[in-house]
Amino acid sequence: MVDFRSDTVTQPTEAMRLAMSRAEVGDDVYGDDPTVNRLEAMAAEMLGFDAALFTSSGTQANLLALMSHCERGDEYICGQQAHNYRFEGGGAAVLGSIQPQPLTNQADGSIALEDIVAAIKPDDIHYARTKLLSLENTIGGKVLPMSYLADAQALAFNHGLKMHLDGARLANAAVALNLPMAQIAGHFDSLSLCLSKGLCAPVGSLLLGDDRLIARARRWRKMLGGGMRQAGVLAAAGIIALEEQVSRLTDDHDNAALLARELSQIEGFDVDLASVQTNMVFARVAEHIDIHAIAAELKAQGFVLSASKNLRLVTHKDISRSDIERFILALKALC
Ligand SMILES: *Cc1c(COP(=O)(O)O)cnc(C)c1O
């Protein structure tokens, strides 16, 4: 199957499976798992933070960040499109008693600085305390401009806010900008990063921050049931993800660009080529095209996609250039 639904479907590499089978392990709740410790130390070094914490998912890493920065009655500012507002079950509110303050995302994925300033609450008993600005990069496959990150950081500093980055796909942003991940990360107080998407690890994310934040997050992780025992079996794949899978993302980006160009040539598929910056392609499908029927036909030919009038196709390690060429031929024939 050639699966365009998401980069979450990637299979672990042979090197990962081998490393997992050989991983030296211990009880990570006691801090005794050498492979988890190695992954956390390596990530902290690579991304330029004091410390890191291995988590079961990106959702958990974001929740731990919010709960470690904020207390009951605090709020975080984020985008209306932010994953940690829309797609994480309201965890910050449900489990952290933390109020989200969502703001409109601009076309490039940023939040206008004047909107952020206007949303910061005065120190007054009527209001929640505004503590944190949470950004996402990449967001909808788009890369936030570096100049925007610098401006947002200055704004946050001037207003006494901390900055969190939902960097589930930070590696895609870094590769697209041809910069080390640390250069993007340097604008933030904390960062979450998924090992399990384009980087192909089977399970796991990382939260990065200073020692104090990570100590708080470690406590919340245990409370939320995320303290795992011989987790080195998973962390071993995470190490390979960081070592071997980051630079390979250029292939995914090139394949997405090819897919976008080809798709834009097919009548009824309106592709915003400027928005294709990493591994995601979005297309608006015309009324007269029955995308559900087409998706069913494609599935019979081995191509999986989420059928929608707002089509999202995601490239990743398990989709090759020739898969895309075959997909385009199959789609053209059906249209
Ligand atoms: C996937 C994703 C997450 C959550 O990761 P899970 O491991 O699926 O919980 C968070 N933020 C963004 C932007 C994501 O794409």
Side-chain angles (χ1 to χ4, degrees), residues 281-327:
V281 176
F282 293 89
R284 176 89 200 131
V285 182
E287 261 331 299
H288 67 274
I289 292 181
D290 184 350
I291 190 65
H292 292 275
I294 288 178
E297 292 281 348
L298 286 168
K299 186 151 194 194
Q301 299 181 41
F303 301 104
V304 186
L305 48 89
S306 304
S308 163
K309 285 288 176 194
N310 292 304
L311 203 57
R312 184 188 83 159
L313 302 173
V314 184
T315 59
H316 52 74
K317 170 181 71 68
D318 300 327
I319 299 181
S320 67
R321 191 181 169 88
S322 74
D323 289 334
I324 288 172
E325 287 161 354
R326 288 193 301 113
F327 170 74

Side-chain angles (χ1 to χ4, degrees), residues 1-2 191 211 248 298:
M1 284 290 178
V2 178
L191 166 76
D211 285 326
R248 193 204 53 76
L298 286 168

Side-chain angles (χ1 to χ4, degrees), residues 57-59 62 83 88 136 166 168-169 194 196-197 205:
S57 67
T59 299
N62 279 333
H83 198 283
E88 296 182 8
E136 188 172 311
D166 178 348
R169 295 190 179 84
C194 281
S196 59
K197 292 183 174 169
S205 284

Side-chain angles (χ1 to χ4, degrees), residues 82-211:
H83 198 283
N84 63 15
Y85 170 58
R86 291 188 74 187
F87 302 118
E88 296 182 8
V94 174
L95 298 167
S97 300
I98 302 159
Q99 164 173 289
Q101 170 60 75
L103 300 173
T104 303
N105 286 103
Q106 302 299 308
D108 68 356
S110 67
I111 308 169
L113 298 177
E114 55 272 25
D115 290 352
I116 296 171
V117 171
I120 296 171
K121 312 290 183 289
D123 181 6
D124 175 311
I125 56 168
H126 291 86
Y127 300 111
R129 290 171 301 248
T130 312
K131 274 285 171 63
L132 182 71
L133 172 60
S134 178
L135 301 178
E136 188 172 311
N137 199 12
T138 62
I139 177 161
K142 286 174 290 203
V143 182
L144 294 179
M146 290 301 284
S147 60
Y148 174 75
L149 299 187
D151 292 344
Q153 183 182 20
L155 184 161
F157 181 81
N158 289 333
H159 289 85
L161 305 182
K162 297 288 186 187
M163 294 252 287
H164 173 68
L165 181 65
D166 178 348
R169 295 190 179 84
L170 172 69
N172 294 87
V175 164
L177 291 168
N178 198 20
L179 291 174
M181 288 194 280
Q183 204 155 326
I184 300 173
H187 293 287
F188 295 89
D189 299 292
S190 63
L191 166 76
S192 60
L193 170 77
C194 281
L195 299 166
S196 59
K197 292 183 174 169
L199 301 184
C200 305
V203 177
S205 284
L206 290 160
L207 176 66
L208 295 112
D210 66 16
D211 285 326

